[in-house]
Amino acid sequence: MNHNILNIITYFRQQCYALLSVSVLACALLAVACGRHDTVYSGFVDIPPSGWACDEYCGFETAALDSALFRDSVARYDIVLAVRHTDSYPYSDLWLVSRQGDLPVAALPDTIHMRLADKSGRWLGRDNKGIYMYTDTIVRNTCVPELYALQLGHSMPVHQLKGLLGLGLVISRAHIK
């Protein structure tokens, strides 16, 4: 009897955690959209609770949203990555490997390093009840080809990376100063 009750409690706890994750993601997307009216593309991929395997990639395709997003070949954009994680993420940084489609962004590196915590171990992202959102502009003032596709995988020293909840890509119009 007690075993069944524990299973039910665990199930509801997981469901609440998933709902909280979706709520945080929605709030983050809303904050990005409200704060920057020049956001052209925004996509997030949820990472399963079991972890992110080193042979899996998070895919982002602008054509899935609108094939005409980047038709202006002279427009310039900033590319931002967003990472959602919990306190259980065991590292202070995240190394990513990028694979681009047939039409790449020339300025985007093959390997991307994101520092998620400072030297004292304090998380750098915004905290919302134990879920952290960290964003970093990885490329500024670049051209983005029409029908852009990007895949990101982790290159951390483990097969199954735990503690990450999601990975996002935001492409915004660059403000040249």
Side-chain angles (χ1 to χ4, degrees), residues 31-105:
V32 168
C34 291
R36 298 201 55 175
H37 298 291
D38 52 358
T39 297
V40 179
Y41 172 84
S42 176
F44 277 79
V45 175
D46 288 330
I47 295 173
S50 60
W52 186 11
C54 63
D55 59 349
E56 294 176 344
Y57 283 79
C58 295
F60 304 94
E61 294 187 22
T62 62
L65 185 63
D66 182 356
S67 63
L69 283 178
F70 302 105
R71 283 221 172 116
D72 184 356
S73 61
V74 296
R76 308 298 277 185
Y77 301 93
D78 294 335
I79 299 177
V80 176
L81 286 182
V83 177
R84 286 183 300 126
H85 66 90
T86 65
D87 277 325
S88 67
Y89 182 71
Y91 302 101
S92 62
D93 57 359
L94 174 64
W95 286 91
L96 300 169
V97 177
S98 68
R99 294 192 312 197
Q100 300 185 72
D102 294 335
L103 303 170
V105 170

Side-chain angles (χ1 to χ4, degrees), residues 116-164:
L116 303 179
D118 63 17
K119 290 181 181 180
S120 68
R122 187 177 40 137
W123 297 116
L124 299 174
R126 290 188 317 243
D127 178 15
N128 185 3
K129 298 182 181 177
I131 296 177
Y132 297 87
M133 172 72 92
Y134 178 76
T135 59
D136 191 9
T137 303
I138 56 168
V139 180
R140 293 186 189 277
N141 195 27
T142 191
C143 293
V144 175
E146 190 175 344
L147 306 178
Y148 182 59
L150 173 66
Q151 292 185 331
L152 296 170
H154 80 79
S155 62
M156 300 301 286
V158 293
H159 177 73
Q160 197 79 5
L161 186 60
K162 297 189 183 236
L164 293 178

